[in-house]
Amino acid sequence: MRKVIGVFVLFVSLMIISGCGTTDKNSTTTNIDDSKWKDVEESGKLVVGTSGTLYPASYYPEGSDRITGYNVEVIREVAKRLGLESKFEIMSFDSKMAALQSGRVDVVMAGPRDESKEKFNFSEPFKYSYSTMIVRSEDHSGIESLEDLKGKVAGGAATTVYSDIARKYGAEVKTYGNATNDVYLRDVANGRTDVIINDYYLQSLALKAFPELDIELHPDLKFHPQTVSVVTPKEDQILADKIDETVKEMKNDGTLTKLSGEFFGGQDVSQEIKDDIKEIEGIE
């Protein structure tokens, strides 16, 4: 039985908004290798790379062996509408793109960067968000601006945009494996690290799970708007087109809004954010 604390691992890859072109999901595309789609269709399964410890995006509820979460239920519904079962492979963020490129999995869920857009297709985003910081409540860990990150220690994974932001402003990044969020949060609270930069929605939910810790979301800093999409290898264009069209259908018929409400306390993460969010030059 899998037993995972209902909290999230803070190394989600969420970057700038990007979408793919679409075709009718029942149509064929000329001059494109459709072998991947044929293989997936023949197998009847869509293999998905996901963390399994990322509450509320991808996690095992306490006492359950069935993976769930917003990302998981989105891709589960996509697969269902394409006539497929979904099979989930558990892996850390830092290994997801390599697993996708090697063919170990058919899709992952992440946000685009310029270099990744050259190798992968990104569907219509199914989640919009921005970055915030978790800091100590008593003094905001000495951080009142992004520039104050200089000399601080930030908890994160090696290859996320959040770690890129921390390094850009002079912070040292303390890296973790596929750890649950309590490890990250307790390190900030006890002073082993100073800050966690990550997704607003995920961090706000994580804090609710640990009210005893003297930490909080920074009240003044909102930056780096970002999205999450379904990702496929560049050469798998027919599979990508079918997924993209299905995600759009789910957005239009209200399915994404319904799923978001279930996992994000009634908030709709499937809609673009209208707040004034600071862009960071040089960070994708």
Side-chain angles (χ1 to χ4, degrees):
M1 179 180 70
R2 304 295 296 269
K3 183 178 180 182
V4 175
I5 298 172
V7 292
F8 70 105
V9 174
L10 289 171
F11 44 44
V12 190
S13 175
L14 301 168
M15 297 91 184
I16 59 173
I17 295 173
S18 175
C20 298
T22 64
T23 63
D24 184 275
K25 69 177 180 179
N26 295 315
S27 69
T28 58
T29 305
T30 60
N31 301 321
I32 294 176
D33 182 4
D34 65 350
S35 59
K36 180 64 173 181
W37 167 244
K38 287 181 177 178
D39 289 345
V40 170
E41 189 175 32
E42 184 176 340
S43 72
K45 292 182 179 178
L46 188 69
V47 183
V48 184
T50 189
S51 74
T53 53
L54 178 65
Y55 179 83
S58 169
Y59 69 101
Y60 289 89
E62 187 77 16
S64 174
D65 290 328
R66 178 177 169 81
I67 194 170
T68 190
Y70 178 63
N71 291 10
V72 168
E73 298 306 332
V74 167
I75 198 64
R76 192 170 265 150
E77 178 65 17
V78 168
K80 179 181 176 182
R81 294 188 185 200
L82 293 176
L84 305 169
E85 294 181 12
S86 44
K87 177 184 177 183
F88 296 93
E89 296 281 347
I90 306 305
M91 58 190 62
S92 70
F93 166 75
D94 288 336
S95 64
K96 284 199 305 184
M97 290 308 197
L100 183 60
Q101 213 164 11
S102 71
R104 176 182 166 188
V105 299
D106 301 318
V107 301
V108 299
M109 289 154 286
R113 309 175 91 167
D114 283 346
E115 62 182 43
S116 61
K117 285 189 287 187
E118 295 176 0
K119 300 177 182 179
F120 304 101
N121 295 304
F122 291 81
S123 74
E124 172 87 0
F126 62 83
K127 180 173 182 282
Y128 295 85
S129 189
Y130 58 89
S131 298
T132 56
M133 297 181 189
I134 287 178
V135 293
R136 287 184 288 278
S137 300
E138 59 182 356
D139 63 352
H140 298 164
S141 301
I143 300 169
E144 298 303 338
S145 69
L146 288 168
E147 287 72 21
D148 291 335
L149 285 167
K150 186 174 182 178
K152 304 297 184 183
V153 180
T159 60
T160 64
V161 68
Y162 308 116
S163 294
D164 287 349
I165 293 170
R167 294 186 186 102
K168 176 181 175 65
Y169 287 96
E172 173 192 347
V173 176
K174 174 180 169 59
T175 59
Y176 297 75
N178 203 26
T180 49
N181 183 56
D182 60 313
V183 177
Y184 285 82
L185 296 183
R186 293 185 193 282
D187 276 2
V188 174
N190 63 32
R192 290 194 180 97
T193 60
D194 300 302
V195 62
I196 303 164
I197 302 174
N198 210 270
D199 172 74
Y200 162 73
Y201 291 111
L202 298 180
Q203 294 206 116
S204 60
L205 288 170
L207 288 176
K208 291 180 180 179
F210 294 93
E212 75 278 10
L213 298 179
D214 190 25
I215 53 179
E216 66 181 21
L217 285 179
H218 199 292
D220 302 319
L221 299 179
K222 298 179 181 181
F223 50 94
H224 189 62
Q226 53 207 223
T227 63
V228 183
S229 299
V230 183
V231 190
T232 54
K234 203 71 172 179
E235 62 270 21
D236 300 342
Q237 190 63 53
I238 291 178
L239 176 61
D241 288 345
K242 290 177 179 292
I243 290 172
D244 184 63
E245 185 65 22
T246 305
V247 171
K248 288 183 175 180
E249 286 179 1
M250 291 166 61
K251 182 174 286 189
N252 291 336
D253 67 20
T255 300
L256 294 184
T257 297
K258 180 176 181 293
L259 289 173
S260 176
E262 292 174 5
F263 290 100
F264 290 96
Q267 300 178 98
D268 190 355
V269 303
S270 72
Q271 301 301 313
E272 293 189 55
I273 296 170
K274 305 300 183 182
D275 292 356
D276 184 18
I277 311 298
K278 177 182 174 62
E279 298 272 4
I280 299 178
E281 186 176 351
I283 295 292
E284 299 175 28

